[in-house]
Amino acid sequence: MLSFLPGWLLCPLLLLFATSYTAAISLTIFIVSCVRYTLLWSPGAASALIRVNNRLMGWWLYGNHLTLRLFTRAEVHVTGEIGEDESASQIIVSNHISWLDTLVIGEITRNRLPVPKFFLKHSLLYVPFVGIACWGLGMPFMRRYPPAYLLRHPELRNRDIETTRKICETFRDIPTTFVNFPEGTRFTEEKREKGGAPYRNLLTPKPGSLALAIGSLNTFSRIISVTLYYPDNKESPFKDMLFGRLGRIYISLREIPITDDLKGDYTGDKQFKHSFQIRLRESWQEKDEILQRMKEQAESDGKK
C-alpha cells in the first residue's frame, strides 16, 4: 500500500511503525514474565501467564503481517500445504537466508499453528526489545563455542543440550511451534565453500538441537519442512524490505511424520545419533533439490 513511496521515506516510516508495536508488546511480555517467574510455586498461574505471553506473541505476528502488507509489494508463491492445527506442538525446520525468514515463518504459522518459538543465537538476547521478549517467551538461546575453546572448557559441551531440554519441559503441556534452523547461521556462498557443504544451495545441518527437541517432547505431532527463496533479493532481503524493494518470495511446505526412529537418546546412544544424522542429511539433500527447482521456477517466471 505504501511501497510506492521512495525508500528514504518508506524506511523510517516502516521502522517507526514496527519499533512502536514491537516495543509495546515486548515490554508487556517482559512484565508478564517477571510476574510469572515469581509464581513458579503455582504451576497453574505460571501456565496461565505463559498463555498470556503467547497471545501477545500472536499480536506481534499480526503487527508483522500488517508491516508486510502496508510497506511491501511482495509476491508470495507457495508450493505444498500444511493442515491447520493449533492444538498440538509442531516443529518447523527451515533453511536460513536472512532475518526476514522469521517474519515469513511467522506469517506461515499465524492463526494456523501455535505461536512459534525460535532457537536463537545468544547474542540476540541483547537486541533492544526483541531480546527481552524472546527471553520472556521462553525461547532457547544457544551458544556457539569454537572447538579450541571447548577443548579448554569441556564442561560447556552440553550446555545447549540442557538449555533445549529445560525449554521443552516448560512447554510440555502448552502447544508450541518450535522453529529450528539446523544450519545454525545465515547462508552465503562463502560459508558453503568454506564449510565444505555437499549441497549446491545449503550449508551442512547441525542435528543436535533438533534431535534433542524431538526426544525431549513426545507431544510433537509432525515436522514441517519449510524451504525459502528470495529470487529478487539475493544479497540482502531484510534491508530490501526496509526500503520497499522486496520482490517475490518462494515458499515450499512439506510435512514429515515423526516416526519412532526419530526419537531416541541423541547424547547417549551412538547408534541413534548416527542414524539421526543420516536422516537429517537425506532430508537436507531433498531440501537442496527443492531449492534448486524453486530457483529454476523463479527464473522461468521472471521471463514471462
Side-chain angles (χ1 to χ4, degrees):
M1 185 180 297
L2 298 176
S3 58
F4 67 90
L5 295 173
W8 62 266
L9 179 57
L10 185 71
C11 181
L13 287 176
L14 187 156
L15 288 174
L16 177 62
F17 179 73
T19 301
S20 297
Y21 71 75
T22 297
I25 293 173
S26 296
L27 290 173
T28 306
I29 289 174
F30 178 72
I31 293 170
V32 172
S33 299
C34 289
V35 175
R36 171 193 153 202
Y37 284 116
T38 64
L39 296 175
L40 290 178
W41 53 269
S42 175
S47 178
L49 291 176
I50 289 176
R51 296 179 188 278
V52 170
N53 274 345
N54 284 347
R55 179 62 62 87
L56 291 167
M57 175 67 172
W59 291 352
W60 184 72
L61 295 178
Y62 182 69
N64 291 341
H65 167 74
L66 289 179
T67 299
L68 291 172
R69 295 294 294 271
L70 289 174
F71 296 94
T72 76
R73 64 184 86 185
E75 298 178 15
V76 181
H77 302 262
V78 181
T79 303
E81 296 182 356
I82 55 172
E84 298 183 14
D85 187 359
E86 294 187 78
S87 64
S89 292
Q90 333 268 327
I91 296 181
I92 287 180
V93 177
S94 176
N95 62 315
H96 196 12
I97 303 171
S98 162
W99 287 351
L100 181 62
D101 301 345
T102 59
L103 273 69
V104 174
I105 290 175
E107 189 69 5
I108 294 170
T109 61
R110 191 178 65 87
N111 295 333
R112 304 176 68 189
L113 304 174
V115 294
K117 305 287 170 63
F118 296 85
F119 287 79
L120 303 170
K121 291 182 178 179
H122 193 268
S123 58
L124 294 178
L125 179 61
Y126 305 104
V127 175
F129 301 118
V130 173
I132 60 172
C134 293
W135 169 82
L137 289 162
M139 297 189 191
F141 289 90
M142 319 301 283
R143 293 180 181 269
R144 301 295 182 192
Y145 299 104
Y149 187 82
L150 288 176
L151 286 175
R152 297 194 302 271
H153 302 277
E155 71 279 2
L156 299 178
R157 289 185 182 274
N158 295 325
R159 174 171 289 184
D160 283 354
I161 292 174
E162 290 304 317
T163 297
T164 303
R165 182 178 288 115
K166 289 178 181 178
I167 293 297
C168 289
E169 287 294 331
T170 301
F171 296 103
R172 179 171 293 279
D173 299 320
I174 298 175
T176 303
T177 301
F178 280 102
V179 181
N180 184 239
F181 298 109
E183 292 165 300
T185 185
R186 294 186 296 276
F187 174 88
T188 65
E189 281 293 335
E190 182 182 359
K191 292 177 183 177
R192 185 185 70 82
E193 293 175 2
K194 185 177 179 180
Y199 312 105
R200 289 174 290 181
N201 309 289
L202 299 167
L203 304 179
T204 302
K206 300 176 177 63
S209 57
L210 177 62
L212 192 66
I214 296 174
S216 298
L217 197 60
N218 291 325
T219 57
F220 284 124
S221 62
R222 58 185 169 170
I223 297 172
I224 300 172
S225 178
V226 176
T227 308
L228 303 174
Y229 179 50
Y230 312 108
D232 304 319
N233 310 93
K234 298 177 182 179
E235 297 298 323
S236 53
F238 188 77
K239 180 180 178 181
D240 288 346
M241 179 198 72
L242 295 179
F243 286 89
R245 300 192 294 262
L246 184 62
R248 295 169 294 169
I249 301 174
Y250 282 75
I251 306 170
S252 173
L253 304 175
R254 185 166 59 99
E255 290 190 13
I256 301 173
I258 297 181
T259 52
D260 289 340
D261 62 325
L262 291 176
K263 303 175 183 178
D265 182 4
Y266 187 80
T267 59
D269 187 337
K270 291 184 178 180
Q271 183 176 351
F272 170 74
K273 181 177 182 178
H274 180 66
S275 65
F276 191 92
Q277 290 173 342
I278 291 175
R279 283 289 303 274
L280 181 58
R281 289 168 187 165
E282 291 174 346
S283 176
W284 224 243
Q285 183 62 51
E286 293 176 10
K287 184 180 289 291
D288 190 47
E289 294 169 1
I290 290 171
L291 189 49
Q292 186 64 32
R293 290 196 295 270
M294 293 168 75
K295 288 185 174 184
E296 294 168 359
Q297 182 64 49
E299 184 177 353
S300 175
D301 292 344
K303 294 177 181 179
K304 295 179 181 179

